[in-house]
Amino acid sequence: MKLREATLWLQDNLTFDVDQRVHVFEVTIRVLGGLLSCHIMLERMPSAVPGYDGALLRLATDLGNRLLPAFDTKSGIPLSWVHLRKGVMPKESRFTCTACAGTMLMEFGTLSRLTGNPVYEQKARHAVQRVFDMRDPGTGLLGNTLHTDNAEWLRKDSGIGAGIDSFYEYLLKAYLLFGDEDYLIMFAKLYTSAMHGLTLRLAAGAPAGTATPPPWLAHADMQTGKLAHPWISSLSAFWPALQALAGQVEDAQRLLGAWVQAWGQMGGLPELFDMAAQERHPLQKGYPLRPELMESTYFLHSVTQDPALLQVGRMLQTTLVEGHKQKCGYAGIADMATGELEDSMESFFLSETCKYLYLLHANTTHLPNNYVFTTEGHLVPPFNASLYPPAGPNNQATAWTHPFHSASAWFMPDFSTLWMPLSDLASEGLVHSDGPLPPNIGGAVPAAIAERCASLCSSISDADMEEKQRVLQAALPLVPLAAQDAVILRQRRCTACLHVTSSMEHMFHPGTESPDFDTSSLGSWSVGSVQTQGTPDKRQLLCLLEVRDDRLQCGQLHQITHSAGLDVLPDNAVILESLPMTSQPEGALYTLTLPDKAKQYDAVGASFGQDLQAAGRCGMLKGGLCELHGALAVAQPADACGPVEAAVDGAILLVTRGACTFVQKALNAAAAGAAGIIVINNVDKQTAFAMGYDQEDIAVNIIAFMVNKDVGLQLLGTVEQLEVLQQQTYINIGAQAQSAATLDITASTGPAMQEQHVVVPEATQRWIQSQKVLLESAMQGDTSGSTGGTSPIWQSLLVELATQTLQQSGSVIQDKPAQCVAPN
């Protein structure tokens, strides 16, 4: 009943004709993939929603058409952003990540096969091939970030985590789904290069008794193989699942063990952590309920049926229930060190995290032999390889006649049955009558390779197949199954295992040629297969930490010129390395001081625009202080994504994140006469980062900074409070040579250069009253009279600020408590 209601609601209410700029990758995997998977399920099980007429496929087609303009680049590599009504916006960012460019094969390929229109898959396939061809010829590795027009790398750090992860995943899964061996060949090459070039090993000459490093795949420079940074990305936890799918079981078991140990040591997986799984990254230190470890646990269990993995699943589930469950759902963690919760629950928590935990305990080990899981956990059954649409020259669509009369016919004959004997499948031409081993392997399979792939390639009787299907159907009675899918997917997984294992054997077999590249040592561990003691990249710095004024800072900073001695470092030492995204300088860290001088906060300079020295702001004060001084005000509109109202000449404008690029915000503010902007990261209370230069060949002539949400609320409170008190707010932004920079907020009733430091009362009666009025108006849905206009983001910031102010002052606004209402 609920499925029918939800389907009808989507059919009657969902539209993509909206004035909204969307992220192509995220919308593809979350929305397009969900619509396609649900449509397939409903077509295969007509009784679930009687009278279903393909409405979800029509919606998916409309969405796919609105995403296609992203591919209209010089290289055919898609842009990261597109407007659902207007297509590609003027001055749109031309940068994208490797995963963003290549994680559309499954959804766009499925859309092509369901609609009979080859354009979707051809464009996705071309983009993948173009990125694959950009791998380094020596190491075989891919970079992380690239330019969509000239197809050149902007970040050359390689890995298997954020920004690149699902590129590997979709090459293997595209082969499993479509049967096109080109995808398998690309996957095998990239997988082997990653295992060869990124896995930690003992360095040559390591002292006897040195501990074996954990089997992490680290981040390395794609050209040199040197360590790019010493952090492990939690997104990399998907890798054992990929290995299990491809039959690399022993490697998957070793790596999953390291991930489970890391979870136990840290009470979860922060976004980034050190190789010993002891330290959390100082900025990316939260856990937003990510599913990758649950995914790997499930897929490895589906191959091994190891009961110990069920215990792992229970441990993961217990952590989630005890540490994350709230009245209205499950909350992510902002800081793993403190356990501070975030008021958010990502959609992947339900789509993947909960799903994999359920499947792990639901006796569904045969499901990966019936369906291919998208990167967002949506199920799609395998396609007949003969239905692949032919590729046209120069990425152009070619004529393609759909071989069946209906969109559901590609599921092969008699898909209402739950199973079909192998002999019948052979007679239908769907499998080879001599067993599941594919004939295209060529020649005899070496015994060592055959042994490693035995679990996927061994013969299975008709009776065993029928029993596996019956057990799975009992566990998932509403999931339609077809035995031909199980046979086809098992055959393809066998082929993948044999191909990948053979590739790995060739790469690591003694006497075979290894890529000629150096690696960078980390103590007695190294990355890659060739360990050298070469000179590290000169962008590496040694920072000796110390506490000053209750703040952790680099007391000493030394450039690393040689790797000797780096295996023995003091406890307060960290190695810093710049990862160049662009040719612009990296953002500097500033200290921000509010008028009451009670607290200091961090602000991060952008990697675009001017710095204080370049802006000619030095020497204005004693001691060679570089200073920017101006009135602090709120941008109108608050996001600065349209023409900004004329500001006080030389003002520093507060701006919210989102709706357009950071560079565009700075350009609009500069056109209004501002001298700088402070962007509030309104999506994260704790994090501020160096905003990237995302629009090429555009000069930005003002200074830009970012602060986290908590700091932004403090700044907003200062501006709003002084406005009520009829005082002007000023900000000094200064930087001493060779020392920390400062942002000094001051309040005054006089001209800009006649400011005097004042102590602002915690809350005057007028200020408290104004916040009461604002909050009462917000409860009635009206904050239109507030500073910053009617922006929903700005309104939410104002409401949060007002709530904090009234709580601190002891004032209370009476309202009914929020209720979590379960659906009927």
Side-chain angles (χ1 to χ4, degrees):
M1 178 62 72
K2 291 298 182 183
L3 177 61
R4 182 176 182 275
E5 290 177 2
T7 302
L8 294 176
W9 187 94
L10 290 172
Q11 175 180 314
D12 296 339
N13 295 279
L14 181 60
T15 178
F16 298 110
D17 184 22
V18 292
D19 184 17
Q20 183 65 49
R21 176 174 171 266
V22 298
H23 196 277
V24 177
F25 165 76
E26 294 292 353
V27 168
T28 296
I29 64 173
R30 300 193 191 207
V31 184
L32 182 60
L35 289 170
L36 292 171
S37 178
C38 190
H39 166 76
I40 290 170
M41 296 293 184
L42 294 178
E43 285 284 327
R44 301 191 97 185
M45 191 169 55
S47 61
V49 179
Y52 172 70
D53 64 353
L56 300 187
L57 178 59
R58 290 194 296 273
L59 286 167
T61 304
D62 177 51
L63 177 58
N65 290 335
R66 294 175 187 274
L67 298 177
L68 281 179
F71 291 86
D72 295 336
T73 62
K74 294 178 182 179
S75 67
I77 298 173
L79 300 171
S80 291
W81 296 88
V82 71
H83 196 285
L84 289 177
R85 279 185 181 168
K86 303 172 184 177
V88 178
M89 300 294 288
K91 300 181 180 180
E92 184 59 86
S93 172
R94 315 301 290 184
F95 304 157
T96 194
C97 70
T98 302
C100 300
T103 310
M104 299 181 201
L105 274 176
M106 292 184 68
E107 291 81 6
F108 275 61
T110 298
L111 186 58
S112 280
R113 284 162 170 74
L114 292 178
T115 62
N117 184 349
V119 171
Y120 309 107
E121 183 171 356
Q122 286 173 356
K123 288 186 177 293
R125 181 190 181 97
H126 174 84
V128 167
Q129 185 68 58
R130 190 67 188 271
V131 174
F132 176 80
D133 290 341
M134 294 171 64
R135 69 196 189 283
D136 184 80
T139 66
L141 298 173
L142 291 170
N144 187 285
T145 306
L146 55 98
H147 198 291
T148 57
D149 287 331
N150 58 26
E152 293 182 355
W153 292 111
L154 296 169
R155 280 182 54 185
K156 297 182 179 180
D157 52 309
S158 187
I160 62 168
I164 192 172
D165 48 358
S166 50
F167 190 90
Y168 300 96
E169 178 187 2
Y170 265 37
L171 285 175
L172 175 61
K173 290 184 175 180
Y175 165 69
L176 297 178
L177 187 60
F178 305 130
D180 188 323
E181 292 188 358
D182 287 347
Y183 296 137
L184 176 58
I185 292 170
M186 286 191 281
F187 170 74
K189 289 181 178 180
L190 283 180
Y191 175 84
T192 305
S193 295
M195 292 296 291
H196 183 63
L198 300 177
T199 303
L200 286 177
R201 296 181 180 86
L202 280 177
T210 300
T212 301
W216 303 126
L217 277 74
H219 293 259
D221 185 284
M222 64 174 286
Q223 295 175 323
T224 67
K226 291 183 178 180
L227 187 71
H229 63 74
W231 300 104
I232 301 299
S233 169
S234 66
L235 288 169
S236 305
F238 86 100
W239 197 256
L242 199 66
Q243 292 175 313
L245 271 179
Q248 308 304 295
V249 177
E250 292 181 3
D251 290 336
Q253 289 173 321
R254 280 194 295 270
L255 185 54
L256 183 64
W259 281 107
V260 173
Q261 183 177 355
W263 177 285
Q265 290 177 182
M266 295 182 288
L269 293 180
E271 295 285 67
L272 290 174
F273 57 90
D274 73 320
M275 294 180 183
Q278 298 287 342
E279 301 294 333
R280 301 149 190 85
H281 189 276
L283 295 178
Q284 299 188 47
K285 53 191 175 182
Y287 171 62
L289 303 173
R290 291 200 183 279
E292 285 76 17
L293 184 52
M294 294 73 175
E295 175 186 4
S296 286
T297 303
Y298 167 68
F299 275 99
L300 187 56
H301 180 262
S302 73
V303 175
T304 66
Q305 283 87 57
D306 183 352
L309 294 173
L310 298 177
Q311 297 298 326
V312 171
R314 293 189 185 100
M315 181 266 290
L316 299 175
Q317 182 172 327
T318 299
T319 302
L320 291 175
V321 172
E322 293 181 353
H324 299 260
K325 188 175 182 180
Q326 303 297 307
K327 186 176 182 179
C328 299
Y330 283 74
I333 291 183
D335 187 345
M336 292 292 296
T338 65
E340 178 188 357
L341 296 178
E342 291 183 314
D343 188 14
S344 65
M345 186 179 81
E346 290 276 0
S347 64
F348 54 65
F349 177 71
L350 296 177
S351 179
E352 298 181 81
T353 308
C354 293
K355 180 183 296 180
Y356 289 125
L357 285 173
Y358 173 78
L359 293 176
L360 177 65
H361 297 292
N363 203 13
T364 63
T365 56
H366 199 47
L367 186 60
N369 286 329
N370 281 264
Y371 285 91
V372 183
F373 289 67
T374 72
T375 195
E376 199 68 11
H378 304 304
L379 303 181
V380 186
F383 291 86
N384 189 334
S386 65
L387 298 188
Y388 177 73
N394 301 320
N395 199 32
Q396 298 298 313
T398 58
W400 180 41
T401 303
H402 198 279
F404 299 110
H405 297 295
S406 69
S408 62
W410 61 264
F411 281 112
M412 305 174 189
D414 193 16
F415 66 93
S416 62
T417 61
L418 297 183
W419 53 271
M420 184 183 293
L422 293 182
S423 56
D424 290 353
L425 289 171
S427 67
E428 293 281 353
L430 299 177
V431 298
H432 303 285
S433 57
D434 56 351
L437 186 63
N440 53 1
I441 294 299
V445 177
I449 295 177
E451 182 179 355
R452 292 193 65 177
C453 297
S455 62
L456 294 176
C457 297
S458 58
S459 298
I460 183 171
S461 67
D462 291 4
D464 285 345
M465 176 65 77
E466 293 171 14
E467 179 62 20
K468 287 178 180 293
Q469 293 294 90
R470 286 196 181 98
V471 169
L472 181 59
Q473 192 69 79
L476 302 172
L478 296 181
V479 175
L481 303 178
Q484 59 264 39
D485 294 341
V487 174
I488 290 170
L489 259 182
R490 193 165 183 270
Q491 177 177 339
R492 289 176 183 172
R493 289 183 67 185
C494 168
T495 304
C497 182
L498 294 172
H499 195 100
V500 172
T501 304
S502 177
S503 179
M504 291 287 289
E505 288 285 325
H506 174 75
M507 176 66 77
F508 289 104
H509 191 277
T512 59
E513 201 170 305
S514 296
D516 182 19
F517 64 99
D518 292 336
T519 59
S520 173
S521 294
L522 183 72
S524 297
W525 300 347
S526 67
V527 181
S529 63
V530 183
Q531 295 81 24
T532 68
Q533 295 296 325
T535 303
D537 195 303
K538 292 185 179 179
R539 291 171 297 175
Q540 289 183 329
L541 299 173
L542 180 64
C543 166
L544 299 180
L545 296 172
E546 61 182 56
V547 177
R548 295 179 182 174
D549 300 325
D550 295 325
R551 294 175 59 81
L552 190 63
Q553 301 180 4
C554 285
Q556 299 179 48
L557 200 60
H558 306 280
Q559 180 173 306
I560 296 175
T561 58
H562 197 274
S563 60
L566 292 185
D567 55 338
V568 181
L569 292 174
D571 293 338
N572 66 327
V574 294
I575 296 176
L576 309 177
E577 181 168 6
S578 169
L579 297 177
M581 289 183 61
T582 71
S583 59
Q584 299 297 315
E586 294 294 321
L589 186 65
Y590 292 78
T591 301
L592 184 150
T593 307
L594 292 177
D596 58 10
K597 303 296 180 182
K599 288 186 178 181
Q600 292 183 328
Y601 303 92
D602 287 339
V604 182
S607 59
F608 59 83
Q610 294 184 322
D611 58 30
L612 293 177
Q613 187 171 2
R617 303 279 181 174
C618 296
M620 296 175 62
L621 296 179
K622 294 180 180 180
L625 180 70
C626 303
E627 180 198 48
L628 174 65
H629 181 94
L632 185 63
V634 175
Q636 301 279 355
D639 57 18
C641 287
V644 176
E645 292 185 10
V648 176
D649 189 36
I652 314 297
L653 297 183
L654 283 173
V655 175
T656 56
R657 182 181 173 188
C660 65
T661 66
F662 295 124
V663 168
Q664 192 59 54
K665 296 175 189 292
L667 293 173
N668 291 339
I677 60 171
I678 299 176
V679 177
I680 301 174
N681 187 6
N682 40 274
V683 300
D684 195 321
K685 289 186 175 183
Q686 301 295 327
T687 302
F689 54 85
M691 296 173 287
Y693 195 81
D694 47 14
Q695 290 182 253
E696 195 175 57
D697 300 328
I698 297 179
V700 178
N701 296 318
I702 65 174
I703 303 175
F705 309 88
M706 178 179 283
V707 296
N708 64 38
K709 185 177 180 180
D710 284 344
V711 178
L713 288 172
Q714 297 286 340
L715 291 175
L716 176 59
T718 299
V719 174
E720 295 275 322
Q721 186 169 354
L722 292 176
E723 184 174 302
V724 171
L725 299 175
Q726 297 182 340
Q727 292 182 321
Q728 179 63 62
T729 315
Y730 290 96
I731 181 169
N732 291 327
I733 304 174
Q736 289 271 6
Q738 306 299 322
S739 69
T742 64
L743 281 73
D744 187 22
I745 308 293
T746 61
S748 173
T749 56
M753 295 307 294
Q754 299 176 3
E755 77 278 9
Q756 56 180 346
H757 291 271
V758 298
V759 178
V760 180
E762 287 187 10
T764 64
Q765 191 60 40
R766 282 177 292 168
W767 169 241
I768 295 174
Q769 186 60 37
S770 71
Q771 296 303 281
K772 284 185 177 180
V773 171
L774 172 62
L775 200 54
E776 288 168 346
S777 299
M779 290 177 180
Q780 300 172 7
D782 178 22
T783 56
S784 58
S786 63
T787 304
T790 58
S791 163
I793 293 176
W794 199 261
Q795 291 176 11
S796 67
L797 286 174
L798 288 172
V799 169
E800 187 169 345
L801 171 65
T803 303
Q804 289 182 4
T805 302
L806 296 176
Q807 288 175 345
Q808 292 170 2
S809 67
S811 299
V812 178
I813 294 292
Q814 295 296 329
D815 188 29
K816 294 181 180 179
Q819 299 291 327
C820 301
V821 181
N824 295 325

